[in-house]
Amino acid sequence: MPASAAALGFDGPAANSLDAVSDRDFAIEFLAATALAGMHLSRFAEEIVIWCSDGFGFVALSDALTTGSSIMPQKRNPDAAELVRAKTGRLNGSLIALLTVMKGLPLAYCKDMQEDKIPVFEAADTLELCLAATTGMVRDMRPDRERLRAAVERGFSTATDLADWLARTAGLPFRRAHHAAGMIVKRAEALGCTLAELPLAELEAVEPAITPAVYDVLDPDRSVAGRLSFGGTAPESVRFAVAEARKRFLE
């Protein structure tokens, strides 16, 4: 038996003969992995669908990965992303199908187990297709830098940086800093400007501890660049993460 296992590339023979013929854990674990991968691909596909929509317009896909609308000539549908998102149902279904087959079987082999082939092979084919489509979309999509920049400027994204600065630099208790940042956001909303565009007098009227140095943290670029911790958003951190990913998956 050890020789047979070695010839087949296994670590060793099964320790229990009943388990050897009645177990399908290897197939179930494979299907669980495909379902998990499909879930993550689906979430990324949903992001692409949203980013491509007219309300966002953060990225665009070429004609190779989109199709024209059946009614609106000007509209391009991100079909590849939508289909990747939908295929997750097949992967989940394959996992549930085999679990359902196995759940009520007595020990040793039963003919029911021949039903393991269809979900395993279908899941493998589906995941391969989804990975190819997702890879194609990543290579194909082009960001709209102007719209991305405009989105960053909306929503007062540096309000947290302001509260942190008030607590860290100005020495305010965070509860007071949080409240002051909220009041400053309301003032910027009333004036129709960003936090970085607020005059110093307006900032000081809300919190006298503020100094001109606060503008260093109100700029979105500086806010992003300041997240230098491991896994942070700073360009330096992102470049490091990309390099590590390339080393892990491509080398």
Side-chain angles (χ1 to χ4, degrees):
M1 287 298 291
S4 299
L8 293 169
F10 298 148
D11 293 334
N16 186 299
S17 59
L18 286 177
D19 188 56
V21 296
S22 68
D23 179 82
R24 288 297 181 273
D25 285 2
F26 63 92
I28 293 171
E29 289 171 357
F30 169 75
L31 291 174
T34 65
L36 183 61
M39 179 271 292
H40 286 294
L41 291 172
S42 178
R43 294 181 67 181
F44 184 54
E46 170 67 4
E47 294 283 354
I48 293 176
V49 171
I50 293 173
W51 295 345
C52 287
S53 67
D54 187 61
F56 289 80
F58 291 165
V59 300
L61 294 172
S62 71
D63 290 350
L65 291 158
T66 60
T67 59
S69 166
S70 59
I71 187 64
M72 294 179 283
Q74 82 286 3
K75 188 172 184 289
R76 305 299 299 175
N77 295 321
D79 283 0
E82 292 174 358
L83 290 172
V84 167
R85 187 175 59 183
K87 294 291 185 183
T88 304
R90 285 179 175 267
L91 299 172
N92 292 345
S94 294
L95 172 61
I96 297 302
L98 188 52
L99 285 171
T100 303
V101 168
M102 298 300 297
K103 73 172 183 63
L105 299 184
L107 289 176
Y109 179 77
C110 298
K111 195 67 173 176
D112 312 53
M113 293 182 189
Q114 72 177 16
E115 290 299 313
D116 63 351
K117 310 298 186 297
I118 293 176
V120 167
F121 295 156
E122 183 175 279
D125 291 342
T126 299
L127 182 60
E128 184 178 19
L129 179 63
C130 290
L131 288 169
T134 303
T135 300
M137 286 188 289
V138 170
R139 288 174 175 168
D140 182 83
M141 63 183 180
R142 297 292 179 267
D144 186 326
R145 296 179 183 276
E146 291 184 3
R147 295 196 69 156
L148 286 164
R149 163 57 63 179
V152 168
E153 297 292 347
R154 296 193 303 268
F156 308 104
S157 59
T158 56
T160 301
D161 299 81
L162 172 59
D164 287 342
W165 184 90
L166 287 169
R168 182 181 64 253
T169 304
L172 274 63
F174 188 77
R175 180 176 181 178
R176 178 178 161 187
H178 188 280
H179 176 73
M183 296 299 295
I184 289 170
V185 167
K186 287 183 178 180
R187 188 59 185 154
E189 287 177 328
L191 295 175
C193 65
T194 67
L195 294 179
E197 293 169 342
L198 271 176
L200 181 61
E202 294 286 348
L203 297 169
E204 291 174 332
V206 175
E207 177 49 63
I210 289 178
T211 68
V214 73
Y215 289 102
D216 289 342
V217 301
L218 297 183
D219 177 69
D221 287 326
R222 292 188 178 184
S223 173
V224 171
R227 301 302 197 274
L228 285 165
S229 59
F230 183 81
T233 58
E236 180 181 335
S237 298
V238 173
R239 283 191 290 270
F240 174 79
V242 170
E244 289 297 302
R246 289 184 182 278
K247 186 186 304 181
R248 179 179 178 185
F249 297 111
L250 300 179
E251 294 182 3

